[in-house]
Amino acid sequence: MSKLLQALLSGVFYTFIIDFLLFLGIFIHYIQFLEIEIFYNILFADNQNITLFIILSIFSGYLIIYLENTKVTLTILGSLFLIVLLSLIPYIGYNAGKIILMKKNVTHKDAKYTFTGDIYYNGRKTITFYDYELKRIIILEKKDLIK
């Protein structure tokens, strides 16, 4: 039981580091580049894929604790670390942010207007939106939108 708990905690710790680095690259090269006003911790907390986090935690915990071949473990976990570290390169971090956060060709309506464009970031209370007609980024309040 102790070894199982150790594997799970080791996996969660490793996955947390990987996750932190991925979202750091997205924050620096996508969020700050587009001048979206959001704190890193909100970005990190609101955009977690819990299923992927659990699967990666179990997998990495198994590799760290149970797999006897350290070369294989270091190769797999080191490769994963280096792949995620690539998000700190501006082009890759920006595109990772686009893949994870952007939704293309979306229509929103409020009481007066219809907005068609791309969602750059869907926050808790606001949506950062690029409007095709206005050709600029606007902030839409979620409470004002008609569902």
Side-chain angles (χ1 to χ4, degrees):
M1 182 64 176
S2 165
K3 201 170 183 179
L4 181 64
L5 183 62
Q6 186 180 6
L8 183 61
L9 291 176
S10 297
V12 166
F13 181 69
Y14 180 78
T15 304
F16 182 78
I17 292 170
I18 294 295
D19 208 18
F20 172 82
L21 289 172
L22 174 66
F23 279 99
L24 181 63
I26 290 171
F27 183 75
I28 293 169
H29 301 298
Y30 181 80
I31 297 294
Q32 287 183 340
F33 177 77
L34 295 173
E35 298 177 353
I36 299 170
E37 294 192 23
I38 186 171
F39 293 110
Y40 175 81
N41 54 350
I42 294 172
L43 171 73
F44 185 79
D46 287 355
N47 295 289
Q48 292 301 310
N49 183 335
I50 193 68
T51 306
L52 186 61
F53 188 87
I54 290 171
I55 290 170
L56 191 57
S57 294
I58 292 169
F59 176 71
S60 60
Y62 172 79
L63 289 176
I64 293 168
I65 301 300
Y66 288 107
L67 193 63
E68 298 294 327
N69 191 340
T70 41
K71 286 184 181 181
V72 172
T73 300
L74 287 175
T75 301
I76 293 171
L77 295 181
S79 298
L80 183 59
F81 183 80
L82 290 175
I83 289 169
V84 171
L85 204 58
L86 288 174
S87 73
L88 296 175
I89 297 171
Y91 176 78
I92 296 172
Y94 179 79
N95 284 314
K98 278 177 62 174
I99 291 168
I100 294 172
L101 302 173
M102 183 186 276
K103 292 186 178 105
K104 292 207 169 260
N105 201 18
V106 178
T107 301
H108 283 297
K109 296 178 183 180
D110 67 5
K112 294 181 183 179
Y113 304 105
T114 299
F115 305 98
T116 302
D118 299 333
I119 295 176
Y120 282 173
Y121 181 74
N122 191 352
R124 292 178 181 176
K125 296 180 182 178
T126 62
I127 297 172
T128 304
F129 192 81
Y130 178 81
D131 191 286
Y132 293 153
E133 190 174 311
L134 298 174
K135 295 184 179 163
R136 67 183 181 101
I137 295 175
I138 58 174
I139 306 296
L140 302 175
E141 296 287 331
K142 283 187 174 182
K143 63 180 170 126
D144 297 336
L145 297 176
I146 300 170
K147 295 186 186 207

